Amino acid sequence: MRFILFYHSLISDWNHGNAHFLRGIAAELMDRGHAVRIYEPEDGWSLQNVIAEHGQKPLEDFRRTFPQLTSRFYHPDELDLDEALQDADVVIVHEWNDPELVRRIGEHRRKSGNYRLLFHDTHHRAVTAPADMGAYDLSAYDGVLAFGETIRQVYLANGWVRRAWTWHEAADTRVFQPVASTETEGDLVWIGNWGDEERTAEYEEFLIGPVRSLGLAASAYGVRYPEAAVGRLNRAGITWHGWLPNAAVPRVFSRFPVTLHIPRRPYTEALPGIPTIRPFEALACGIPLVCAPWSDAEGLFTPGKDFLMAEDGAEMTRHLKRLLSHPDERAALARHGRNTILSRHTCAHRVEELFSILDAL
């Protein structure tokens, strides 16, 4: 089959955590013998930011790490959809695309009718900014792939589409797997972006406080950390390293005995059952994981066996102290978590789900 995928960026994962899953799905389709073409805007926000900060090296590293994945750059005003969508069987448009492009592709589908057209939503805006998402014209789309049941229900309840399916993110186990390492850089690593003050209080309670209390040697990676945030980390003994290429995450995990997941507030308050990509990454890499509270409403994992859940900062401190002093418990937690990923949460599993959806259509 011929798949045409419209991404915000295939190449850049600067503040673009969805890149992991989007790359993994494309690679899985290719491995199964399908033809895949990926389009991304030439002036994409994520790509422009990574180039501004790091020059051309991230692009070179991407090509070296993912030699089978390439994207076609386009200017929105010059994109010829007749040419781009020629011979397409399935077209998937990610939500981090311009609404006008989303509309134009829908109009093309309405006139041609020769392919399946799906909209892929991996963000919380359907709940937190419904007016923005309601402005997307999805009338000609076959339906929505929503990365959680709550999001799926919102699309249907608002009448934005007639059909929607829950399609969770998952780990690309070609890249995310345990890495053998004899190096140790510290006690704990946190990988995540600071963002828009969506979890500042949570950082203080679940990361900064426990690290300071236990006197741990810790590292943090991510972007959009204001100067004040970096100062808070440094005062607690946490070294901030800046942007980390997504493909380098397994190597960094291999140098630490434990990591954390601290969800953003929109997910914990309004989107139960959606963990985002970070737990999938950690569990796939075989690193013990401790989570700040989130509701696994859809039964993706087994809390207590795949990872530990800390209801508050005091419990986070207790969990970290015990794990760091009991290697056997760390190993058991890591083993169970990775087995869960391999059994039901890989990109291969999601491609199987995708083909079930296409069969239903």
Side-chain angles (χ1 to χ4, degrees):
M1 297 179 71
R2 297 179 181 85
F3 285 81
I4 311 298
L5 311 176
F6 286 86
Y7 291 170
H8 170 73
S9 185
L10 172 76
I11 294 174
S12 174
D13 51 52
W14 193 99
N15 200 57
H16 181 23
N18 305 132
H20 168 179
F21 182 61
L22 301 178
R23 292 166 178 170
I25 291 299
E28 181 66 29
L29 289 169
M30 290 179 180
D31 283 355
R32 296 178 182 219
H34 300 285
V36 177
R37 280 204 311 274
I38 301 167
Y39 287 86
E40 67 174 276
E42 62 186 15
D43 59 349
W45 180 81
S46 177
L47 182 63
Q48 294 305 310
N49 273 281
V50 80
I51 292 174
E53 285 194 5
H54 303 279
Q56 294 295 312
K57 187 177 185 303
L59 283 64
E60 297 165 2
D61 291 344
F62 171 83
R63 286 189 285 267
R64 184 166 52 253
T65 305
F66 302 97
Q68 79 278 34
L69 296 181
T70 59
S71 59
R72 300 187 181 196
F73 290 102
Y74 68 88
H75 188 283
D77 296 335
E78 300 172 2
L79 179 61
D80 183 340
L81 289 180
D82 287 335
E83 178 183 350
L85 300 176
Q86 185 178 14
D87 298 328
D89 295 308
V90 181
V91 179
I92 300 177
V93 183
H94 188 242
E95 48 85 17
W96 201 0
N97 272 292
D98 184 80
E100 176 60 16
L101 175 67
V102 174
R103 185 199 64 78
R104 285 183 59 205
I105 294 173
E107 282 302 305
H108 187 275
R109 160 63 196 278
R110 197 191 309 277
K111 294 174 181 177
S112 70
N114 294 326
Y115 51 83
R116 290 300 181 189
L117 178 59
L118 296 166
F119 187 69
H120 182 200
D121 193 338
T122 58
H123 201 267
H124 57 66
R125 287 183 300 157
V127 170
T128 60
D132 291 347
M133 297 310 295
Y136 282 86
D137 181 0
L138 304 178
S139 58
Y141 284 65
D142 288 302
V144 165
L145 303 172
F147 81 141
E149 178 62 16
T150 304
I151 299 294
R152 186 184 81 86
Q153 292 291 348
V154 167
Y155 272 89
L156 296 176
N158 286 321
W160 295 338
V161 289
R162 288 170 293 133
R163 288 169 293 207
W165 299 267
T166 299
W167 200 46
H168 280 284
E169 293 182 302
D172 180 4
T173 49
R174 298 164 187 77
V175 178
F176 287 82
Q177 55 184 282
V179 174
S181 177
T182 58
E183 298 181 52
T184 301
E185 288 190 11
D187 302 306
L188 177 151
V189 62
W190 156 256
I191 298 174
N193 303 326
W194 189 269
D196 302 311
E197 304 300 325
E198 290 176 328
R199 51 184 166 187
T200 302
E202 289 83 352
Y203 279 141
E204 187 66 44
E205 181 174 7
F206 293 99
L207 172 63
I208 296 172
V211 167
R212 183 190 297 117
S213 175
L214 295 172
L216 304 181
S219 287
Y221 292 83
V223 301
R224 301 176 69 196
Y225 279 67
E227 185 177 341
V230 175
R232 291 165 72 175
L233 294 179
N234 289 340
R235 287 190 294 274
I238 304 169
T239 303
W240 176 64
H241 298 275
W243 174 67
L244 179 69
N246 191 241
V249 167
R251 173 176 49 79
V252 170
F253 276 156
S254 73
R255 299 172 182 172
F256 292 86
V258 67
T259 191
L260 307 181
H261 173 52
I262 305 174
R264 295 177 185 272
R265 204 166 302 139
Y267 291 101
T268 60
E269 294 180 349
L271 298 171
I274 301 177
T276 71
I277 197 67
R278 297 303 184 186
F280 294 107
E281 293 179 345
L283 298 182
C285 290
I287 184 173
L289 173 67
V290 187
C291 295
W294 67 278
S295 173
D296 187 11
E298 297 184 49
L300 299 175
F301 303 106
T302 305
K305 293 186 176 180
D306 290 324
F307 53 79
L308 300 183
M309 189 81 79
E311 293 301 322
D312 53 32
E315 189 172 22
M316 176 66 78
T317 302
R318 291 195 297 272
H319 282 329
L320 292 175
K321 183 176 181 180
R322 181 164 183 85
L323 284 175
L324 290 171
S325 59
H326 290 79
D328 55 335
E329 293 188 20
R330 294 202 306 270
L333 197 64
R335 183 168 55 251
H336 200 286
R338 177 161 167 79
N339 286 340
T340 294
I341 293 294
L342 295 178
S343 67
R344 58 180 186 268
H345 296 312
T346 69
C347 288
H349 291 101
R350 298 302 183 259
V351 165
E352 289 294 333
E353 294 170 8
L354 176 60
F355 276 102
S356 294
I357 291 167
L358 294 173
D359 287 344
L361 286 170

